[in-house]
Amino acid sequence: MGLNKKSVDDINVSGKRVLVRCDFNVPLKDGEITDETRIVAALPTIQKLIKDGGKVILCSHLGKVKNGPNEGESLAPVAKRLSEKLGKEVNFVADYNVTGEAATAAVEAMKEGDVVLLQNTRFRGKEETKNGEEFSKELADLADVYVCDAFGSSHRAHASVAGVTDVVRAKGGECAVGYLMQKEIDFLGNAVENPVRPFVAILGGAKVADKLNVINNLLEKCDTLIIGGGMAFTFLKAKGYEIGNSLVDEEKLDYCKEMMEKAEKLGKKLLLPVDTTIAAGFPNPIDAEIEVSVVDADKIPSDMEGLDIGEKTAALYADAVKSAKTVVWNGPMGVFENPILAKGTIAVAKALAETDATTIIGGGDSAAAVNQLGFADKMSHISTGGGASLEFLEGKELPGVVAADDK
């Protein structure tokens, strides 16, 4: 994967119209933003382009927009918050067509350093279909230069992520990545392609199926692979253990056996839970009080369910992290949303917080866990993309990364 991409530091935007694909897919409640992390993360790139005299045109999707354009998924609250953060007015184009006459007029009226935010790109329908070609052209018509800073969307070959770059390039424009994308490429890309060793990868979460290619790819790259979360029980069953009512992916038992054999053949350590925290059933609601006990991983009673790693496993995993120089973590060790079942995830987060290694959290639930548990500021990098970071760890080429110009 070519990771040496042109960034906003490599392009001259003075007086030029710069279309920036951001990730403003923020959570909203009653029209108010409940977590502004993604807006804050986009600021350095936007501020750089303003400072350099660019005419900055921002675009992003928000939500899944299943029932057509609606005010509940408009980017209006984002424009308001951005104006406050930047200390200058962000001109919001509310037109549901996104790139219509209102957008054209707003862009024509721009002076150097002005900022315009277009409406939710998903309001135009499916960006990856035939409709995407027309949308790509209309987006490119608004700009001279394109910057992608939406890592969370970079695994999708959508009009506003990849399609637009061909049209901008065809008319002599440059396509670069923003600071956020650059950071993701530097940390995630280099961790997988060129890690400082020992390299420890930790995978958790519910299903083996979600991480098939990640397990396979990381086994070839890392020195130690640690498995936790619900997916560990499919591995334990593949070893012939009784796992009771624990989550299991019956169709992936042979795959787990293959991966354990592969680790042995490659001389890699594959660590599985040696003990597990069990209960009579899944907590309902998820944060409800629940009675638990801890048993060895091969002694789970047939009527019980494993919901977190046990203390011995937490110590084993923490120990493996201590000597590492690079650690990538994707997926919690148990039902971390429940305080009683969060101990394993907390133990791993604490081990990462205390190591001198480069620690990279691969988006999604593990990012949420690290943030919720208060360890975020102790990590080297927390990825902003769930699906995108997983595909990066699989070794896949991401359309949004590939589409940027090489240096």
Side-chain angles (χ1 to χ4, degrees):
M1 188 188 290
L3 300 177
N4 197 18
K5 296 294 180 180
K6 266 188 194 174
S7 85
V8 285
D9 289 328
D10 302 314
I11 56 175
N12 174 16
V13 299
S14 179
K16 291 180 183 169
R17 300 169 302 161
V18 190
L19 179 69
V20 188
R21 175 56 159 95
C22 299
D23 182 3
F24 293 144
N25 187 21
V26 294
L28 293 171
K29 192 174 180 186
D30 304 324
E32 293 294 319
I33 296 164
T34 56
D35 181 353
E36 59 183 33
T37 307
R38 285 176 169 161
I39 292 173
V40 173
L43 294 175
T45 295
I46 298 168
Q47 285 160 333
K48 160 78 174 161
L49 296 169
I50 291 169
K51 187 168 145 284
D52 289 355
K55 299 172 180 179
V56 186
I57 307 147
L58 309 173
C59 69
S60 173
H61 78 283
L62 193 154
K64 293 198 165 41
V65 191
K66 287 197 169 81
N67 304 312
N70 65 89
E71 277 308 293
E73 290 171 304
S74 164
L75 282 173
V78 173
K80 184 168 171 267
R81 188 65 58 91
L82 260 179
S83 299
E84 291 162 9
K85 294 275 176 202
L86 292 169
K88 65 183 296 162
E89 193 204 342
V90 171
N91 182 9
F92 178 55
V93 181
D95 181 8
Y96 285 178
N97 188 50
V98 189
T99 50
E101 288 174 17
T104 306
V107 171
E108 276 175 3
M110 290 178 87
K111 297 182 175 66
E112 291 184 10
D114 281 356
V115 183
V116 161
L117 173 63
L118 303 178
Q119 185 54 281
N120 186 344
T121 56
R122 295 254 167 106
F123 283 5
R124 276 295 290 267
K126 292 194 167 118
E127 279 197 69
E128 70 280 14
T129 58
K130 202 76 177 139
N131 162 50
E133 288 177 25
E134 193 185 326
F135 190 30
S136 297
K137 186 181 177 310
E138 289 172 22
L139 284 167
D141 283 346
L142 295 173
D144 306 305
V145 178
Y146 173 77
V147 172
C148 186
D149 210 22
F151 181 73
S153 301
S154 65
H155 59 313
R156 306 196 185 282
H158 286 178
S160 61
V161 175
V164 62
T165 61
D166 293 333
V167 197
V168 167
R169 215 175 274 114
K171 58 180 192 175
E174 292 177 287
C175 299
V177 296
Y179 288 133
L180 192 58
M181 280 281 281
Q182 186 64 56
K183 196 172 174 221
E184 297 278 9
I185 291 168
D186 288 349
F187 277 100
L188 269 175
N190 290 328
V192 177
E193 297 303 323
N194 191 21
V196 181
R197 296 187 182 279
F199 172 27
V200 175
I202 306 168
L203 292 178
K207 295 179 189 153
V208 174
D210 295 345
K211 310 244 164 97
L212 286 178
N213 299 328
V214 182
I215 296 166
N216 198 8
N217 189 46
L218 286 179
L219 260 184
E220 289 172 15
K221 313 274 187 184
C222 70
D223 302 295
T224 301
L225 179 61
I226 293 173
I227 304 278
M231 63 192 279
F233 298 106
T234 305
F235 278 89
L236 294 175
K237 184 163 184 182
K239 283 185 83 163
Y241 292 2
E242 165 63 63
I243 59 163
N245 292 327
S246 306
L247 195 65
V248 65
D249 195 337
E250 296 284 356
E251 290 174 13
K252 298 293 178 278
L253 291 169
D254 286 343
Y255 173 83
C256 290
K257 284 178 193 162
E258 274 171 46
M259 290 302 111
M260 290 188 278
E261 284 162 19
K262 181 173 179 169
E264 203 170 325
K265 204 160 115 192
L266 294 173
K268 306 294 175 83
K269 271 190 195 160
L270 177 65
L271 299 183
L272 294 169
V274 292
D275 61 347
T276 182
T277 301
I278 58 170
F282 201 85
N284 183 19
I286 202 162
D287 57 354
E289 279 277 326
I290 187 168
E291 199 175 306
V292 300
S293 55
V294 179
V295 296
D296 288 346
D298 59 351
K299 307 246 179 354
I300 300 172
S302 60
D303 59 345
M304 300 296 267
E305 183 177 356
L307 296 169
D308 190 16
I309 56 172
E311 285 166 25
K312 283 190 268 189
T313 305
L316 175 74
Y317 290 2
D319 203 46
V321 165
K322 274 181 194 147
S323 58
K325 289 280 184 282
T326 307
V327 186
V328 171
W329 179 22
N330 184 290
M333 297 293 101
V335 187
F336 76 95
E337 300 91 341
N338 186 301
I340 299 159
L341 301 168
K343 288 177 182 164
T345 302
I346 290 171
V348 169
K350 196 164 176 295
L352 264 67
E354 288 169 359
T355 178
D356 295 329
T358 298
T359 49
I360 300 154
I361 312 301
D365 277 346
S366 27
V370 168
N371 281 319
Q372 275 176 35
L373 301 169
F375 290 103
D377 60 337
K378 301 281 195 302
M379 304 300 159
S380 310
H381 178 63
I382 299 175
S383 178
T384 53
S389 55
L390 261 187
E391 291 196 14
F392 225 157
L393 295 177
E394 280 178 37
K396 277 189 183 173
E397 293 203 321
L398 307 186
V401 176
V402 174
D405 295 343
D406 292 323
K407 273 192 187 178

